[in-house]
Amino acid sequence: MAKDSPARPEFKPINVHKRRVTAMHPDNAWHLSHWYETPREDPAVPEVYTYTDALSYDPGDEVSFHTSSTAKTWTLQVWRDGAKPELVYEAKDLPGQFHPTPAAAYRDGCGWPESHRWRLPAGMASGFYRIVSLCELESGANFLQHHFFVVRPVDKKPPRERFLLILCTSTWLAYNDWGGANYYDGIDGPEGKQWSPTLSFLRPWTRGLVWLPPGAPRLIDATKRAPMEPPRYPTKEWAFTNGFAQYFGSSGWAQFERHFVVWAEKEGYEFDIITQNELHYQPEILKRYSAGVIVGHDEYWTREMRDAVDAYVDGGGNMARFAGNFLWQVRMEDDGQTQVCYKERAGAEDPVRDTERKHLLTCAWEDVRLNYPGATTFGVNGSRGTYVSWGGFAPRGSRGLTVYRSNHWCFSGVDMHYGDILGEDAGIVAYEVDGLDYGFKHGLPYATREDGAPEGIEIIAMCPALIGEEQFDGEGFRYYLGDHAIDSRARTLFGTVSEQTKEQAKYGSGMMVSMKRGKGEVFTAGLSEWVMGLAKGEFYTQAVTRNVLDRFTKGSA
């Protein structure tokens, strides 16, 4: 590995082309439209895109890079990312070869031939490795594209103090619309206007999921809305202005896991990294560790991934989840190169719906047809939480968790009190959260268990959330999601849409909970923005995180 890392290529102006003129129309609501990244494929404009043949590798494996470029030559760099990014490999003056992007690359992969091959060093450390492909533009700026791979741990008996970080790669893929589609928008279907239920890992990652400049906005509103002020969607505005993916704020290493990794490295924690694909295909890796950790936005899981976590905790493992929106079952196909999720369309389109494999129906875990609540694994349900602190979703809420059980072990030495607000200064309550159906007794919240929550869940702190934007008819207002999702959630939870079921589905919560399961223990802070408490140095969020990690890896809190 390189000892002295040069200045990173992101410090030079990037992706700056000549000025273009684009006609706009008054009915162009760009935040409601689908726009996506795809190669220009103009021989006169240098560009380069690269992906790898796998998400992760063992030390000593060969990485196969697949590239299409209209530049005469291009440069490949590999950086080990973290608190101090380090250049570990560089190949310059690689010959550029153009290969067209298939019309359904989002579904079938790009199919580009191999452009370069590199054998990883035998002693390469487990971690996240950012790939940079770059070539020079006429303007003098670099055309820059990012990809990644993960190096898996090989230590069969890691020290107890070392935990295993599981990257939410199934959710990253769900939001990757490079080439035309993801699970939310797209060019799929007979009219070219649908999202795709099938997505391929064998394509580049759209801009913003792997790398972001410091200060890139988050889905939380930067400031609470003033009276009569229109809703703002800062990530959409910034993405459109700066040439990034419209969904960069929803998922990805750059927006979520990286913040935790930087914090944990600075704190001196030792940890290894795997992707969710390892959890699916190689669950024995998790069993080597005293603790598994998940952070950020982990919306999509296979049943095999859940089974791996359940077996691990039942056998005495500890699982710390600082993440939100545990919602959809997906299926892996083609040895993990393809992921399938039909979501609300599952009942009509998923091929397993009327077969002996219907337990693999790719719908919400709490869907009445599946009835496998996420709370049995992590103590909270995605369908009982959802949105807060942006757009029309509780735009003036506290942005922190109200503490109810201040004597819980996670607050040891933290000076936390009943009614305190945890993480408000950092805005940890935002975007998407998980919760439970609950009631109060003698001033304390308890799970009603009507949503399938198991016994023994302790609700430590919580906040309100909702599934639809509460819309105020102000002058010139245009909402992003609106309230249409309430119908979908009512159908998911109750099997029918009526005024009664819509009212029951409308509101949710975000929660911090803990529970014992088998011989092990689970701690969940069901907030996608928990990482901001760490990144911004918020005292209480950091203290709770330390207590959880120390208890699960060192037996102390």
Side-chain angles (χ1 to χ4, degrees), residues 258-326:
R258 187 178 191 274
H259 292 291
F260 175 83
V261 166
V262 169
W263 175 84
E265 287 184 352
K266 290 180 177 179
E267 289 285 313
Y269 286 103
E270 294 184 8
F271 57 95
D272 294 320
I273 295 179
I274 62 171
T275 72
Q276 279 182 290
N277 278 28
E278 277 74 62
L279 199 59
H280 181 101
Y281 290 104
Q282 302 178 54
E284 66 277 4
I285 296 177
L286 176 60
K287 294 179 181 179
R288 303 172 192 165
Y289 296 81
S290 60
V293 176
I294 303 161
V295 299
H297 187 192
D298 65 337
E299 187 173 355
Y300 295 83
W301 287 66
T302 65
R303 184 171 291 254
E304 290 85 351
M305 295 171 190
R306 281 191 67 174
D307 289 346
V309 171
D310 290 343
Y312 168 72
V313 176
D314 285 342
N318 301 301
M319 184 59 64
R321 177 174 175 262
F322 307 103
N325 199 214
F326 187 81

Coordinates of all heavy atoms in Angstrom, one line a residue, residues 258-326:
R258 N -20.3 6.1 5.9 CA -19.0 6.8 6.0 C -18.8 7.7 7.3 O -17.8 7.7 7.9 CB -18.7 7.6 4.8 CG -17.2 8.1 4.7 CD -16.9 8.9 3.5 NE -15.5 9.1 3.4 CZ -14.8 10.2 4.0 NH1 -15.5 11.1 4.7 NH2 -13.5 10.3 3.9
H259 N -19.9 8.4 7.6 CA -19.9 9.2 8.8 C -19.6 8.4 10.1 O -18.8 8.8 10.9 CB -21.2 10.0 8.9 CG -21.4 11.0 7.9 ND1 -20.7 12.2 7.8 CD2 -22.3 11.0 6.8 CE1 -21.1 12.9 6.7 NE2 -22.1 12.2 6.1
F260 N -20.2 7.2 10.1 CA -20.0 6.4 11.3 C -18.5 5.9 11.3 O -17.9 5.9 12.3 CB -20.9 5.2 11.3 CG -20.7 4.2 12.4 CD1 -21.1 4.4 13.7 CD2 -19.9 3.1 12.1 CE1 -20.9 3.5 14.7 CE2 -19.6 2.2 13.1 CZ -20.1 2.4 14.4
V261 N -18.0 5.4 10.1 CA -16.7 4.9 10.0 C -15.6 6.0 10.5 O -14.7 5.7 11.2 CB -16.4 4.4 8.6 CG1 -14.9 4.2 8.4 CG2 -17.2 3.1 8.4
V262 N -15.8 7.2 10.0 CA -14.9 8.2 10.3 C -14.9 8.5 11.8 O -13.8 8.6 12.5 CB -15.2 9.5 9.6 CG1 -14.5 10.7 10.1 CG2 -14.9 9.4 8.1
W263 N -16.1 8.5 12.4 CA -16.2 8.7 13.9 C -15.6 7.6 14.6 O -14.8 7.8 15.6 CB -17.7 8.9 14.3 CG -17.9 9.0 15.7 CD1 -17.8 10.1 16.5 CD2 -18.2 7.9 16.6 NE1 -18.1 9.8 17.8 CE2 -18.3 8.5 17.9 CE3 -18.4 6.5 16.5 CZ2 -18.6 7.7 19.1 CZ3 -18.7 5.8 17.6 CH2 -18.8 6.3 18.9
A264 N -15.9 6.3 14.3 CA -15.4 5.2 15.0 C -13.9 5.1 14.9 O -13.2 4.7 15.9 CB -16.1 3.9 14.5
E265 N -13.3 5.4 13.7 CA -11.9 5.3 13.6 C -11.2 6.4 14.5 O -10.2 6.1 15.2 CB -11.5 5.5 12.2 CG -11.8 4.3 11.3 CD -11.3 4.5 9.8 OE1 -10.8 5.7 9.5 OE2 -11.3 3.6 9.1
K266 N -11.8 7.5 14.6 CA -11.2 8.6 15.4 C -11.4 8.2 16.9 O -10.5 8.7 17.7 CB -11.9 9.9 15.1 CG -11.5 10.5 13.8 CD -12.2 11.8 13.5 CE -11.8 12.4 12.2 NZ -12.6 13.7 11.9
E267 N -12.4 7.5 17.2 CA -12.6 7.1 18.6 C -11.7 5.9 19.0 O -11.7 5.5 20.2 CB -14.1 6.7 18.8 CG -15.1 7.8 18.8 CD -15.0 8.7 20.0 OE1 -15.0 8.1 21.1 OE2 -14.9 9.9 19.9
G268 N -11.1 5.3 18.0 CA -10.2 4.2 18.4 C -10.8 2.8 18.3 O -10.2 1.8 18.8
Y269 N -12.0 2.7 17.8 CA -12.6 1.4 17.8 C -12.0 0.6 16.6 O -11.7 1.1 15.6 CB -14.2 1.5 17.5 CG -14.9 2.0 18.7 CD1 -15.3 3.3 18.9 CD2 -15.2 1.1 19.8 CE1 -16.0 3.7 20.0 CE2 -15.9 1.5 20.9 CZ -16.3 2.8 21.0 OH -17.0 3.2 22.1
E270 N -12.0 -0.7 16.8 CA -11.5 -1.7 15.8 C -12.7 -2.4 15.2 O -13.6 -2.9 16.0 CB -10.5 -2.7 16.4 CG -9.2 -2.1 16.9 CD -8.3 -3.2 17.4 OE1 -8.5 -4.4 17.2 OE2 -7.2 -2.8 18.0
F271 N -12.8 -2.5 13.9 CA -13.9 -3.1 13.3 C -13.5 -3.6 11.9 O -12.6 -3.1 11.3 CB -15.1 -2.2 13.2 CG -14.9 -0.9 12.5 CD1 -15.2 -0.7 11.2 CD2 -14.3 0.2 13.2 CE1 -15.0 0.5 10.5 CE2 -14.1 1.4 12.6 CZ -14.4 1.5 11.2
D272 N -14.3 -4.6 11.4 CA -14.2 -5.1 10.1 C -15.5 -4.7 9.3 O -16.5 -4.4 10.0 CB -13.9 -6.6 10.0 CG -12.5 -6.9 10.6 OD1 -11.6 -6.1 10.3 OD2 -12.4 -7.9 11.3
I273 N -15.5 -4.9 8.0 CA -16.6 -4.5 7.2 C -17.0 -5.6 6.3 O -16.1 -6.3 5.6 CB -16.3 -3.2 6.4 CG1 -16.1 -2.0 7.3 CG2 -17.4 -2.9 5.4 CD1 -15.7 -0.7 6.6
I274 N -18.3 -5.9 6.1 CA -18.9 -6.7 5.1 C -20.1 -6.0 4.5 O -20.6 -5.0 5.0 CB -19.3 -8.1 5.6 CG1 -20.4 -8.0 6.7 CG2 -18.1 -8.9 6.2 CD1 -21.1 -9.3 7.1
T275 N -20.5 -6.6 3.4 CA -21.8 -6.1 2.7 C -22.9 -7.0 3.2 O -22.7 -8.0 3.7 CB -21.7 -6.1 1.2 OG1 -21.7 -7.4 0.7 CG2 -20.4 -5.4 0.7
Q276 N -24.1 -6.6 2.8 CA -25.3 -7.4 3.1 C -25.2 -8.7 2.3 O -25.8 -9.7 2.7 CB -26.6 -6.7 2.8 CG -27.0 -5.7 3.9 CD -28.4 -5.1 3.6 OE1 -28.4 -4.2 2.7 NE2 -29.4 -5.5 4.3
N277 N -24.5 -8.7 1.2 CA -24.4 -9.9 0.4 C -23.7 -11.0 1.2 O -24.0 -12.2 1.1 CB -23.7 -9.7 -0.9 CG -24.6 -9.1 -2.0 OD1 -25.6 -8.5 -1.7 ND2 -24.3 -9.3 -3.2
E278 N -22.7 -10.6 2.0 CA -22.0 -11.6 2.9 C -23.0 -12.1 3.9 O -23.0 -13.3 4.2 CB -20.8 -11.0 3.5 CG -19.5 -11.0 2.7 CD -19.6 -10.0 1.6 OE1 -19.7 -8.8 1.9 OE2 -19.5 -10.4 0.4
L279 N -23.8 -11.3 4.4 CA -24.8 -11.7 5.4 C -25.7 -12.7 4.8 O -26.2 -13.7 5.5 CB -25.6 -10.5 5.9 CG -26.3 -10.6 7.3 CD1 -25.4 -10.9 8.4 CD2 -27.1 -9.3 7.6
H280 N -26.0 -12.6 3.5 CA -26.9 -13.5 2.8 C -26.2 -14.8 2.5 O -26.7 -15.9 2.8 CB -27.4 -12.8 1.5 CG -28.3 -13.7 0.7 ND1 -29.7 -13.5 0.8 CD2 -28.1 -14.7 -0.1 CE1 -30.3 -14.4 0.0 NE2 -29.3 -15.1 -0.6
Y281 N -25.0 -14.7 1.9 CA -24.3 -15.9 1.4 C -23.3 -16.5 2.3 O -22.9 -17.7 2.2 CB -23.7 -15.6 0.0 CG -24.7 -15.4 -1.1 CD1 -25.0 -14.1 -1.5 CD2 -25.3 -16.4 -1.7 CE1 -25.9 -13.9 -2.5 CE2 -26.2 -16.2 -2.7 CZ -26.5 -14.9 -3.1 OH -27.4 -14.7 -4.1
Q282 N -22.7 -15.7 3.2 CA -21.7 -16.2 4.1 C -21.9 -15.7 5.6 O -21.2 -15.0 6.2 CB -20.3 -15.6 3.7 CG -19.9 -16.0 2.3 CD -18.6 -15.4 1.9 OE1 -17.6 -15.6 2.5 NE2 -18.6 -14.7 0.8
P283 N -23.1 -16.1 6.1 CA -23.5 -15.7 7.5 C -22.5 -16.1 8.6 O -22.5 -15.5 9.7 CB -24.8 -16.3 7.7 CG -24.9 -17.5 6.8 CD -24.1 -17.1 5.6
E284 N -21.6 -17.1 8.3 CA -20.7 -17.6 9.3 C -19.7 -16.5 9.7 O -19.1 -16.5 10.7 CB -19.9 -18.8 8.8 CG -19.0 -18.6 7.6 CD -19.7 -18.6 6.2 OE1 -21.0 -18.7 6.2 OE2 -19.0 -18.5 5.2
I285 N -19.5 -15.5 8.8 CA -18.6 -14.4 9.1 C -19.1 -13.7 10.3 O -18.3 -13.3 11.2 CB -18.4 -13.4 7.9 CG1 -17.8 -14.2 6.7 CG2 -17.6 -12.2 8.3 CD1 -17.6 -13.3 5.5
L286 N -20.4 -13.4 10.4 CA -20.9 -12.6 11.5 C -20.7 -13.4 12.9 O -20.4 -12.8 13.9 CB -22.4 -12.4 11.3 CG -23.2 -11.7 12.4 CD1 -22.7 -10.4 12.7 CD2 -24.7 -11.7 12.0
K287 N -20.8 -14.7 12.8 CA -20.7 -15.5 14.1 C -19.3 -15.4 14.7 O -19.2 -15.8 15.9 CB -21.0 -16.9 13.7 CG -22.5 -17.1 13.3 CD -22.8 -18.6 13.0 CE -24.2 -18.8 12.6 NZ -24.5 -20.2 12.2
R288 N -18.3 -14.9 14.0 CA -17.0 -14.8 14.6 C -16.9 -13.6 15.6 O -15.9 -13.5 16.4 CB -15.9 -14.6 13.5 CG -15.9 -15.6 12.4 CD -15.0 -15.2 11.3 NE -15.1 -16.0 10.1 CZ -14.6 -15.7 8.9 NH1 -14.0 -14.6 8.8 NH2 -14.8 -16.5 7.9
Y289 N -17.8 -12.7 15.6 CA -17.7 -11.4 16.3 C -18.7 -11.4 17.5 O -19.8 -12.0 17.5 CB -18.0 -10.3 15.3 CG -17.0 -10.1 14.2 CD1 -17.1 -10.9 13.1 CD2 -16.0 -9.2 14.3 CE1 -16.1 -10.8 12.1 CE2 -15.0 -9.1 13.3 CZ -15.1 -9.9 12.2 OH -14.2 -9.8 11.2
S290 N -18.3 -10.6 18.5 CA -19.2 -10.4 19.7 C -20.3 -9.5 19.4 O -21.3 -9.5 20.1 CB -18.3 -9.9 20.8 OG -17.7 -8.7 20.5
A291 N -20.1 -8.6 18.3 CA -21.1 -7.6 18.0 C -21.2 -7.3 16.5 O -20.1 -7.3 15.9 CB -20.9 -6.3 18.8
G292 N -22.4 -7.2 16.0 CA -22.6 -6.7 14.7 C -23.2 -5.3 14.8 O -24.0 -5.0 15.7
V293 N -22.9 -4.4 13.8 CA -23.4 -3.1 13.8 C -23.9 -2.7 12.5 O -23.3 -3.0 11.4 CB -22.2 -2.1 14.2 CG1 -22.7 -0.6 14.1 CG2 -21.7 -2.4 15.6
I294 N -25.1 -2.0 12.5 CA -25.7 -1.5 11.3 C -26.0 0.0 11.5 O -26.5 0.3 12.5 CB -27.0 -2.3 11.0 CG1 -26.7 -3.8 10.8 CG2 -27.7 -1.7 9.7 CD1 -28.0 -4.6 11.0
V295 N -25.7 0.8 10.5 CA -26.0 2.2 10.7 C -26.6 2.8 9.4 O -26.5 2.2 8.3 CB -24.7 3.0 11.0 CG1 -24.1 2.6 12.3 CG2 -23.7 2.9 9.8
G296 N -27.3 3.9 9.5 CA -27.8 4.6 8.4 C -29.2 4.2 7.9 O -30.2 4.3 8.7
H297 N -29.4 3.8 6.7 CA -30.7 3.5 6.1 C -30.6 2.1 5.6 O -30.0 1.8 4.6 CB -30.9 4.5 5.0 CG -32.2 4.4 4.4 ND1 -32.6 5.1 3.2 CD2 -33.4 3.8 4.7 CE1 -33.8 4.9 2.9 NE2 -34.3 4.1 3.8
D298 N -31.3 1.2 6.2 CA -31.3 -0.3 5.9 C -32.7 -0.8 5.5 O -33.2 -1.7 6.1 CB -30.7 -1.1 7.0 CG -31.5 -1.1 8.3 OD1 -32.3 -0.1 8.5 OD2 -31.4 -2.0 9.1
E299 N -33.3 -0.2 4.5 CA -34.7 -0.4 4.2 C -34.9 -1.8 3.6 O -36.0 -2.4 3.7 CB -35.1 0.6 3.1 CG -36.5 0.7 2.8 CD -36.9 1.9 1.9 OE1 -36.0 2.7 1.7 OE2 -38.0 2.0 1.4
Y300 N -34.0 -2.4 2.9 CA -34.2 -3.7 2.1 C -33.3 -4.8 2.7 O -32.1 -4.7 2.8 CB -33.8 -3.4 0.7 CG -34.8 -2.4 0.0 CD1 -34.6 -1.0 0.1 CD2 -35.9 -2.8 -0.7 CE1 -35.4 -0.1 -0.5 CE2 -36.7 -1.9 -1.3 CZ -36.5 -0.6 -1.2 OH -37.4 0.3 -1.8
W301 N -34.0 -6.0 2.9 CA -33.3 -7.2 3.4 C -33.9 -8.4 2.8 O -35.1 -8.5 2.5 CB -33.5 -7.3 4.9 CG -32.8 -6.3 5.8 CD1 -32.9 -5.0 5.8 CD2 -31.7 -6.6 6.7 NE1 -32.0 -4.4 6.7 CE2 -31.3 -5.4 7.3 CE3 -31.2 -7.8 7.1 CZ2 -30.3 -5.4 8.3 CZ3 -30.2 -7.8 8.1 CH2 -29.8 -6.6 8.7
T302 N -33.1 -9.4 2.6 CA -33.6 -10.7 2.3 C -34.0 -11.5 3.5 O -33.5 -11.2 4.6 CB -32.6 -11.6 1.5 OG1 -31.4 -11.9 2.4 CG2 -32.0 -10.9 0.3
R303 N -34.8 -12.5 3.4 CA -35.1 -13.4 4.5 C -33.9 -14.1 5.1 O -33.7 -14.2 6.3 CB -36.2 -14.4 4.1 CG -36.6 -15.3 5.3 CD -37.8 -16.1 4.9 NE -39.0 -15.3 4.6 CZ -40.0 -15.2 5.5 NH1 -40.0 -15.9 6.6 NH2 -41.1 -14.5 5.2
E304 N -32.9 -14.4 4.2 CA -31.7 -15.1 4.6 C -30.9 -14.2 5.5 O -30.2 -14.6 6.4 CB -30.9 -15.6 3.4 CG -31.5 -16.7 2.6 CD -32.6 -16.3 1.6 OE1 -32.9 -15.1 1.6 OE2 -33.0 -17.1 0.8
M305 N -30.9 -12.9 5.2 CA -30.1 -11.9 6.0 C -30.8 -11.8 7.4 O -30.0 -11.8 8.4 CB -30.2 -10.5 5.3 CG -29.4 -10.5 4.0 SD -29.7 -8.9 3.2 CE -29.0 -9.1 1.6
R306 N -32.1 -11.8 7.4 CA -32.8 -11.8 8.7 C -32.5 -13.0 9.5 O -32.2 -13.0 10.7 CB -34.3 -11.6 8.6 CG -34.7 -10.2 8.3 CD -36.2 -10.0 8.4 NE -36.7 -10.2 9.8 CZ -38.0 -10.0 10.1 NH1 -38.9 -9.6 9.2 NH2 -38.3 -10.1 11.4
D307 N -32.6 -14.2 8.8 CA -32.3 -15.4 9.5 C -30.9 -15.5 10.1 O -30.7 -16.0 11.2 CB -32.5 -16.6 8.5 CG -33.9 -16.8 8.1 OD1 -34.8 -16.3 8.8 OD2 -34.2 -17.6 7.1
A308 N -30.0 -14.9 9.4 CA -28.6 -14.9 9.9 C -28.5 -14.1 11.2 O -27.8 -14.5 12.1 CB -27.7 -14.3 8.8
V309 N -29.1 -12.9 11.2 CA -29.1 -12.0 12.4 C -29.8 -12.7 13.5 O -29.3 -12.7 14.7 CB -29.7 -10.7 12.1 CG1 -29.9 -9.9 13.4 CG2 -28.9 -9.9 11.1
D310 N -31.0 -13.3 13.3 CA -31.7 -14.0 14.3 C -30.9 -15.1 14.9 O -30.9 -15.3 16.2 CB -33.1 -14.5 13.8 CG -34.0 -13.4 13.4 OD1 -33.8 -12.3 13.9 OD2 -35.0 -13.7 12.7
A311 N -30.3 -16.0 14.1 CA -29.5 -17.1 14.6 C -28.3 -16.6 15.4 O -28.0 -17.2 16.4 CB -29.1 -18.0 13.4
Y312 N -27.7 -15.5 14.9 CA -26.6 -15.0 15.6 C -26.9 -14.5 17.0 O -26.2 -14.8 18.0 CB -26.0 -13.8 14.8 CG -25.0 -12.9 15.4 CD1 -23.7 -13.4 15.7 CD2 -25.3 -11.6 15.7 CE1 -22.8 -12.6 16.3 CE2 -24.4 -10.8 16.3 CZ -23.1 -11.3 16.6 OH -22.2 -10.4 17.2
V313 N -28.0 -13.7 17.1 CA -28.4 -13.2 18.4 C -28.9 -14.3 19.3 O -28.6 -14.4 20.5 CB -29.5 -12.1 18.3 CG1 -30.0 -11.6 19.6 CG2 -29.0 -10.9 17.5
D314 N -29.7 -15.2 18.8 CA -30.1 -16.4 19.6 C -29.0 -17.2 20.2 O -29.1 -17.7 21.3 CB -31.0 -17.3 18.7 CG -32.4 -16.8 18.5 OD1 -32.8 -15.8 19.2 OD2 -33.0 -17.3 17.5
G315 N -27.9 -17.2 19.4 CA -26.7 -17.9 19.9 C -25.8 -17.2 20.8 O -24.8 -17.7 21.3
G316 N -26.2 -15.9 21.2 CA -25.4 -15.2 22.1 C -24.7 -13.9 21.5 O -24.0 -13.2 22.3
G317 N -24.9 -13.6 20.3 CA -24.4 -12.4 19.7 C -25.1 -11.2 20.1 O -26.3 -11.2 20.5
N318 N -24.5 -10.0 19.9 CA -25.1 -8.7 20.2 C -25.2 -7.9 18.9 O -24.3 -7.9 18.1 CB -24.2 -8.0 21.2 CG -24.1 -8.7 22.5 OD1 -25.0 -9.0 23.2 ND2 -22.8 -9.0 22.9
M319 N -26.4 -7.3 18.7 CA -26.6 -6.6 17.5 C -27.0 -5.1 17.8 O -28.0 -4.9 18.5 CB -27.7 -7.2 16.7 CG -28.0 -6.5 15.3 SD -26.6 -6.5 14.2 CE -26.3 -8.3 13.9
A320 N -26.2 -4.2 17.4 CA -26.4 -2.8 17.5 C -26.9 -2.2 16.2 O -26.1 -2.2 15.2 CB -25.2 -2.1 18.1
R321 N -28.0 -1.6 16.2 CA -28.6 -1.1 15.0 C -28.9 0.4 15.2 O -29.8 0.8 15.9 CB -29.8 -1.8 14.5 CG -30.5 -1.2 13.3 CD -31.7 -2.1 12.8 NE -32.4 -1.5 11.7 CZ -33.5 -0.8 11.8 NH1 -34.1 -0.6 13.0 NH2 -34.0 -0.2 10.7
F322 N -28.1 1.3 14.5 CA -28.3 2.7 14.6 C -28.8 3.1 13.2 O -28.1 3.8 12.4 CB -27.1 3.4 14.9 CG -26.4 3.0 16.2 CD1 -25.3 2.1 16.1 CD2 -26.9 3.3 17.4 CE1 -24.6 1.7 17.3 CE2 -26.2 2.9 18.6 CZ -25.1 2.0 18.5
A323 N -30.0 2.7 12.8 CA -30.5 2.8 11.4 C -32.0 2.8 11.4 O -32.7 2.4 12.4 CB -30.0 1.7 10.6
G324 N -32.6 3.3 10.3 CA -34.0 3.4 10.2 C -34.6 2.8 8.9 O -33.9 2.6 7.9
N325 N -35.9 2.5 9.0 CA -36.7 2.1 7.8 C -36.5 0.7 7.4 O -36.4 0.4 6.2 CB -36.3 3.1 6.6 CG -37.4 3.1 5.5 OD1 -37.1 3.2 4.4 ND2 -38.7 2.9 5.9
F326 N -36.6 -0.2 8.3 CA -36.5 -1.7 8.1 C -37.9 -2.1 7.5 O -38.8 -2.3 8.2 CB -36.2 -2.4 9.4 CG -36.0 -3.9 9.2 CD1 -34.7 -4.3 8.8 CD2 -37.0 -4.8 9.4 CE1 -34.5 -5.7 8.6 CE2 -36.7 -6.2 9.3 CZ -35.5 -6.6 8.9

